[in-house]
């Protein structure tokens, strides 16, 4: 497979909720080994785009999702995950009364050859991942503890670890650093770099341009559901990017004249 | 419960498992209620409660609603409820009686009953998931629908089950094999074991918990919550068919109005057993114990010479108390 073949490609994807058009005619592609930053105001449609890529939202008629050069017709979250797309959702998608291990393996449980859950393996892995990956060692981080007893950052750690440990080809991170401490934020940003180093791809959403700009290869700006612009990092400095983000918010245009 | 003083103090930063109280508090509560209740009966009616007869009696009667309460636990964990299972019980046993009286072999009749139970359960599950109707409401509808169909089919008349051709199935379902204990008691233990495995050691079981805990989270992670709910309702349907046949063979007669008094018994067993009214947590073993506590209340009230009308009062109090207890415990865990 050459690197020109996108991992995922959206063609004319729109999403309407009743009267609200959250995405309109979005076209984008993510290539292997590429980290793409997704920028845009609150309500621009970033999370909706993520959930559409994941198959949680079905695009309006006419929109197409292609995975590695193949048009996907029966898209669903289970299918997206089995093909190798994992997401850290903005709302974290945890089941708080359930123990950590069940959250970690939600929807992708480990079963033995008789189809029975291998609870022991899941608990052992969950413990190892939480302490080695995130360095979480507090009292609450025992695999049998319900997620609701953990701190906010630890809960997020569960969601982050969960998305990373399946070695997905495409990892989507929707504001992963919000609420994390300085050192956990740094770890999360390192994870993004590791994704790139191992030749996999990521979509990275964060309102902090100081997180996005150093981490990514390319940036896509969403505005009111439309792709307002795309930049390679070489085409724009951080200051210019900040300037144009303000302009988009004000006028809906990226560049000064049009 | 406070930290045990002998326990080695964990290092300030070591992961610790949930405390004993948090893990087993609910189970502990259920067993305590059971034991206290039993002691009360032993004291108030020692002549009945120190002889085995009364235990043999409720080992025969309790399974009929316990068998439905156990799968109902799964439905409640997914955050739904089923009020129609007594009607499914009647309709599927009717399917058995009609098939067999039409000349078909017994096992075909059993298959017909199970298929009917399965179909009714799926209808419930389908209506709940496809139209997003609260199950509390839609299963009131199907409760009347299934019972109405059965009454129309039988024209209100029952069927005798004493024919010698029923000997084998009768022995199998309701015979007295070990120590004079009714076979349905062993079937109930077997069912509890099987559904424990389903709930705690299968993907489906994991998804039952996740669906009831947070439906959107589960969907975002790829759990097919509608399919989980449909199968949970289907399980209640299948077990209702079994309970219906056991209940009928126990009295050697198929009563078209069977199941009438069982709704509250089963639901009380589930909630008394510690399954959350809010969904997301619950155990089948708790329901099993809960069912036998309810069975003991039934038997005990009569044996203690209390006016049988008071059973309703007891049930009411037990359900209210267990649900309040749950609310208190779950609030404490969240803090
Ligand atoms: N399930 C839904 N039903 C109706 N409207 C929705 C739904 N999900 C999103 N929207 C609407 O779509 C728009 C885009 O929302 P989205 O969550 O994608 O924004 P966002 O770019 O992620 O914003 P933020 O930076 O605040 O997270 C909003 O106007 C929101 O109200
Ligand atoms: Mg968002």
């Amino acid at each position: 497979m050459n690197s020109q073949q996108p991992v995922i490609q959206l063609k004319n994807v729109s999403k309407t909720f009743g009267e609200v058009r959250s995405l309109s005619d979005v076209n984008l592609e993510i290539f292997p080994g590429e980290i793409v930053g997704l920028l845009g105001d609150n309500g621009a449609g970033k999370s909706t785009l993520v959930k559409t890529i994941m198959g949680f939202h079905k695009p309006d008629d006419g929109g197409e999702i292609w995975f590695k050069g193949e048009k996907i017709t029966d898209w669903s979250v289970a299918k997206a995950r089995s093909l190798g797309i994992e997401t850290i959702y903005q709302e974290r998608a945890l089941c708080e009364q359930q123990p950590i291990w069940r959250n970690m393996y939600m929807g992708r449980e480990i079963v033995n050859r008789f189809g029975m859950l291998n609870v022991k393996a899941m608990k052992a892995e969950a413990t190892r991942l939480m302490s080695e990956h995130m360095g979480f060692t507090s009292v609450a981080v025992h695999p049998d503890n319900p997620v609701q007893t953990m701190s906010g950052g630890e809960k997020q750690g569960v969601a982050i670890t969960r998305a990373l440990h399946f070695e997905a080809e495409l990892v989507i991170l929707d504001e992963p650093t919000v609420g994390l401490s300085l050192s956990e934020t740094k770890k999360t940003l390192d994870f993004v770099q590791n994704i790139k180093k191992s030749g996999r791809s990521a979509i990275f959403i964060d309102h902090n341009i100081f997180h996005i700009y150093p981490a990514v290869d390319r940036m896509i700006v969403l505005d009111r559901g439309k792709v307002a612009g795309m930049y390679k990092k070489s085409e724009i400095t951080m200051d210019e990017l900040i300037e144009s983000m303000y302009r988009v918010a004000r006028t809906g245009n990226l560049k000064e004249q049009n | 419960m406070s930290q045990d003083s002998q326990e080695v103090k964990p290092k300030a930063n070591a992961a610790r498992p949930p405390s004993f109280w948090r893990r087993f508090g609910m189970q502990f509560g259920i067993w305590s209620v059971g034991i206290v209740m039993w002691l009360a009966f032993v004291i108030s009616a020692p002549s009945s409660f120190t002889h085995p007869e009364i235990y043999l009696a409720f080992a025969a009667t309790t399974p009929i609603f316990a068998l439905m309460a156990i799968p109902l636990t799964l439905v409640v964990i997914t955050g739904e409820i089923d009020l129609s299972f007594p009607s499914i019980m009647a309709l599927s046993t009717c399917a058995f009686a009609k098939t067999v009286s039409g000349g078909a072999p017994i096992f075909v009749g059993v298959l017909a009953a199970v298929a009917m139970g399965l179909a009714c359960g799926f209808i419930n599950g389908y209506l709940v998931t496809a139209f997003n109707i609260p199950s509390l409401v839609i299963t009131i509808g199907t409760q009347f629908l299934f019972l109405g169909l059965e009454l129309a089919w039988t024209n209100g008349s029952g069927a005798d089950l004493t024919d010698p051709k029923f000997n084998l199935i009768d022995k199998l379902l309701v015979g007295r094999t070990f120590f004079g204990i009714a076979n349905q008691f062993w079937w109930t233990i077997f069912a509890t074991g099987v559904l424990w495995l389903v709930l705690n050691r299968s993907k489906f079981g994991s998804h039952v918990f996740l669906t009831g805990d947070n439906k959107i989270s589960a969907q975002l992670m790829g759990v097919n919550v509608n399919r989980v709910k449909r199968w949970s309702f289907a399980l209640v349907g299948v077990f209702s068919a079994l309970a219906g046949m056991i209940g009928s063979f126990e009295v050697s007669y198929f009563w078209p109005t069977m199941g009438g008094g069982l709704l509250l018994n089963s639901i009380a067993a589930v909630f008394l057993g510690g399954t959350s009214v809010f969904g997301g947590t619950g155990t089948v073993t708790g329901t099993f114990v809960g069912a036998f506590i309810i069975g003991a209340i039934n038997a005990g009230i009569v044996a203690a010479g209390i006016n049988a009308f008071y059973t309703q009062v007891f049930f009411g109090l037990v359900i209210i108390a267990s649900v309040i207890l749950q609310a208190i415990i779950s609030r404490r865990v969240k803090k």
Side-chain angles (χ1 to χ4, degrees):
Chain A
M1 183 169 308
N2 68 47
S3 63
Q4 291 316 105
Q5 173 105 289
V7 183
I8 195 115
Q9 183 173 22
L10 303 192
K11 295 185 180 173
N12 296 316
V13 167
S14 303
K15 181 68 203 173
T16 317
F17 298 104
E19 303 287 288
V20 184
R21 192 143 205 235
S22 298
L23 295 175
S24 45
D25 288 322
V26 172
N27 287 288
L28 63 81
E29 45 211 15
I30 311 290
F31 292 98
E34 188 185 38
I35 310 292
V36 175
L38 194 55
L39 299 162
D41 251 344
N42 293 123
K46 301 180 297 298
S47 299
T48 307
L49 182 64
V50 167
K51 289 178 193 165
T52 310
I53 292 176
M54 284 309 284
F56 179 78
H57 292 317
K58 195 177 173 302
D60 296 349
D61 289 343
E64 293 176 4
I65 299 176
W66 292 61
F67 182 82
K68 290 188 177 170
E70 248 179 83
K71 186 181 164 186
I72 308 278
T73 46
D74 54 338
W75 204 226
S76 69
V77 179
K79 173 124 192 205
R81 294 187 74 197
S82 72
L83 288 176
I85 309 178
E86 292 289 340
T87 294
I88 300 161
Y89 293 101
Q90 187 170 12
E91 56 268 64
R92 308 306 169 221
L94 297 168
C95 289
E96 300 222 347
Q97 296 174 69
Q98 307 307 315
I100 294 173
W101 66 266
R102 211 194 285 285
N103 274 281
M104 197 79 98
Y105 288 92
M106 191 190 307
R108 292 190 74 169
E109 294 80 5
I110 302 179
V111 290
N112 65 18
R113 67 200 131 110
F114 306 111
M116 296 209 338
L117 292 187
N118 191 343
V119 175
K120 221 174 133 191
M122 287 189 274
K123 283 184 189 176
E125 261 306 274
T127 318
R128 193 183 68 76
L129 291 169
M130 284 303 282
S131 62
E132 283 179 16
H133 247 118
M134 297 299 295
F136 285 137
T137 51
S138 90
V139 171
V141 189
H142 185 281
D144 282 325
N145 269 319
V147 166
Q148 65 193 3
T149 62
M150 305 171 84
S151 81
E154 287 167 344
K155 287 179 190 174
Q156 215 159 315
V158 175
I160 294 173
T161 315
R162 178 172 67 184
L164 293 173
H165 112 274
F166 290 108
E167 302 271 293
E169 301 217 26
L170 173 64
V171 182
I172 305 174
L173 307 93
D174 194 348
E175 305 193 19
T177 61
V178 173
L180 287 185
S181 74
L182 222 51
S183 70
E184 305 306 339
T185 300
K186 182 168 179 310
K187 269 181 212 153
T188 306
L189 295 175
D190 289 344
F191 291 147
V192 177
Q193 288 315 305
N194 288 339
I195 293 171
K196 184 175 174 59
K197 269 184 217 138
S198 58
R200 299 177 292 140
S201 328
I203 299 176
F204 185 17
I205 300 172
D206 202 315
H207 285 294
N208 188 338
I209 282 181
F210 299 99
H211 290 161
I212 291 271
Y213 189 84
V216 304
D217 304 306
R218 199 152 62 92
M219 283 153 287
I220 297 175
V221 181
L222 268 191
D223 180 56
R224 281 155 263 194
K226 292 198 180 71
V227 176
M230 296 197 195
Y231 300 102
K232 286 212 173 75
K233 191 152 72 177
S234 53
E235 294 170 355
I236 192 167
T237 65
M238 196 181 315
D239 288 337
E240 287 165 351
L241 181 66
I242 294 170
E243 182 59 33
S244 72
M245 289 302 298
Y246 281 129
R247 198 177 309 122
V248 170
R250 253 188 354 256
T251 66
N253 291 321
L254 271 177
K255 308 215 167 58
E256 216 134 13
Q257 44 279 70
N258 38 331
Chain B
M1 190 174 283
S2 64
Q3 191 65 30
D4 200 329
S5 54
Q6 283 116 309
E7 206 176 286
V8 186
K9 233 183 155 209
K11 272 183 273 158
N13 253 351
R16 213 189 312 142
S19 69
F20 171 85
W21 186 239
R22 183 163 280 171
R23 275 183 141 186
F24 301 111
M26 191 68 83
Q27 298 286 315
F28 200 68
I30 302 160
W31 284 93
S32 313
V33 170
I35 290 166
V36 168
M37 199 93 82
W38 176 71
L39 285 175
F41 285 133
V42 171
I43 290 164
S44 59
S47 58
S48 310
F49 275 89
T50 50
H51 288 94
E53 284 78 18
I54 192 163
Y55 299 101
L56 292 179
F58 73 71
T61 53
T62 304
I64 298 165
F65 65 85
L67 276 172
M68 296 185 288
I70 290 161
L72 183 65
T73 311
L74 274 64
V75 169
V76 175
I77 295 174
T78 66
E80 303 290 348
I81 185 74
D82 186 352
L83 303 179
S84 73
F85 57 85
S87 302
I88 300 180
M89 185 183 182
L91 182 56
S92 47
T93 314
C94 171
F96 170 81
K98 287 287 179 186
T99 317
V100 173
S101 72
I106 307 277
F107 82 92
V108 176
V110 173
L111 286 182
V114 170
M116 181 64 85
L118 191 68
C120 291
F122 265 122
I123 289 172
N124 281 332
Y126 177 78
L127 291 172
V128 169
T129 54
F131 303 106
N132 232 335
I133 305 170
S135 47
L136 187 71
V137 177
I138 197 70
T139 58
I140 290 178
T142 55
Q143 179 184 13
F144 284 104
L145 175 70
F146 298 149
L147 188 64
L149 285 173
E150 182 252 352
L151 291 173
W153 195 4
T154 57
N155 209 2
S157 56
D160 181 64
L161 299 175
T162 50
D163 192 283
K165 70 178 173 185
F166 293 124
N167 277 355
L168 178 66
I169 184 170
D170 185 277
K171 252 213 142 45
L172 210 63
L173 292 180
V174 300
R176 306 292 194 255
T177 315
F178 301 104
F179 320 111
I181 297 172
N183 279 0
Q184 58 263 41
F185 175 74
W186 307 114
W187 284 122
T188 308
I189 291 188
F190 181 68
T192 307
V194 169
L195 284 182
W196 185 90
L197 281 175
V198 167
L199 185 58
N200 297 293
R201 288 295 178 275
S202 79
K203 261 191 178 210
F204 168 75
S206 233
H207 292 182
V208 165
F209 284 116
L210 296 166
T211 298
D213 189 315
N214 189 328
K215 186 179 146 194
I216 300 290
S217 291
Q219 284 178 311
L220 282 170
M221 297 311 287
V223 173
N224 188 336
V225 299
N226 287 344
R227 188 168 65 200
V228 169
K229 286 185 181 179
R230 285 196 295 271
W231 275 103
S232 303
F233 279 100
L235 277 175
V236 173
V238 169
F239 278 82
S240 302
L242 296 175
M245 282 184 289
I246 284 174
S248 299
F249 277 105
E250 178 65 24
V251 295
S252 302
Y253 196 83
F254 161 58
W255 291 100
T257 55
M258 74 185 305
L262 300 182
L263 178 66
L264 276 185
N265 288 12
S266 297
I267 291 178
V270 173
F271 290 138
L272 181 59
T275 296
S276 168
V277 274
F278 309 107
T281 59
T283 61
V284 288
T285 47
T287 301
F288 178 86
V289 175
F292 278 88
I293 292 175
I294 298 289
I297 297 177
N298 268 330
I301 289 206
V302 177
I306 303 169
N307 184 334
F309 290 123
Y310 279 101
T311 357
Q312 303 275 346
V313 176
F314 265 80
F315 281 176
L317 289 176
V318 163
I319 296 180
I320 293 168
S322 56
V323 168
I324 290 177
L325 203 72
Q326 273 181 29
I328 293 171
I329 290 180
S330 73
R331 201 175 317 142
R332 285 190 56 171
V333 168
K334 272 184 201 132
K335 274 185 184 165

